[in-house]
Amino acid sequence: MDSRRKTGVEGVRLPELSRRAVIAGTSVAALGAAKPVAATGAIPPAATLVPSDEGTRRCARWLAIEAKIARLQTRWAKLETWLAKNHNWFRLSPAEQQALPWAKELRDIDGCLDVLFEQREAALKSIPSSGSADLESIIAKLAVVERLIWREEHPEVHALITGARRDLTAMSRRHSETG
């Protein structure tokens, strides 16, 4: 559980800023949006990508791993917040923390995250940087890039990528409706 650092603000912890975390782009909000992509600007869940080629399948795999990571990080945050409120988690010694039954779930999540970070990194390396077969492949790549660029750190770049992905998605829909 030492792969999380205390922020000093209301007992919230964030992932270490390791190479994995920087690659992660761990924003949770964009995935799983219930509204259409064009209306919300959210990244489509991996299941909505139609794998038209190997590159698209690799992007879909990366997005699926990223979604699992986001869900686990959200669970970690909720559990840790609950432990802080109900058991003074951050004031407990490491031995006292380990004695609580919920500590096992945090350890399990931490172990799963380590494996998923490695899988995500390998999946990212497997995505071809060029040679896209069609618009869907380019859209899938942009969805990955959109997750890698942190909106808070590079709002203009993120907006350009998001807009380009939305434009291509709209073009692809129009093309499939007329073709």
Side-chain angles (χ1 to χ4, degrees):
M1 285 187 287
D2 54 344
S3 67
R4 306 289 176 262
R5 63 183 165 87
K6 192 170 181 179
T7 63
V9 179
E10 301 175 22
V12 176
R13 288 185 179 192
L14 298 172
E16 283 288 327
L17 286 179
S18 66
R19 183 169 171 247
R20 290 182 205 167
V22 172
I23 291 175
T26 56
S27 173
V28 176
L31 285 173
K35 296 179 183 175
V37 173
T40 65
I43 300 166
T48 65
L49 293 174
V50 178
S52 59
D53 67 359
E54 187 61 30
T56 307
R57 283 188 286 280
R58 290 176 184 181
C59 290
R61 175 164 166 64
W62 188 93
L63 289 166
I65 293 168
E66 178 68 12
K68 287 179 188 177
I69 289 170
R71 285 190 300 271
L72 284 172
Q73 288 175 329
T74 298
R75 175 62 186 148
W76 174 286
K78 287 179 180 179
L79 181 57
E80 193 173 62
T81 300
W82 181 84
L83 285 166
K85 288 179 182 177
N86 294 295
H87 295 283
N88 292 318
W89 179 254
F90 298 112
R91 296 178 195 244
L92 299 176
S93 70
E96 291 172 322
Q97 287 179 342
Q98 295 306 314
L100 292 175
W102 303 279
K104 181 185 180 329
E105 184 176 355
L106 290 177
R107 282 192 308 273
D108 290 347
I109 291 171
D110 201 36
C112 288
L113 285 172
D114 287 341
V115 170
L116 288 170
F117 289 151
E118 290 174 12
Q119 289 176 354
R120 180 182 58 197
E121 190 170 339
L124 182 62
K125 288 178 182 177
S126 78
I127 297 171
S129 60
S130 62
S132 297
D134 52 30
L135 279 177
E136 285 72 26
S137 183
I138 296 168
I139 292 166
K141 285 182 192 177
L142 285 172
V144 171
V145 173
E146 191 174 356
R147 296 288 294 156
L148 292 170
I149 302 293
W150 291 3
R151 179 188 329 239
E152 296 78 16
E153 291 184 15
H154 305 284
E156 298 87 3
V157 174
H158 192 272
L160 285 171
I161 293 167
T162 301
R165 183 193 45 76
R166 273 192 256 142
D167 293 346
L168 287 172
T169 300
M171 288 173 66
S172 176
R173 287 181 183 153
R174 281 193 304 268
H175 178 72
S176 65
E177 289 171 0
T178 61

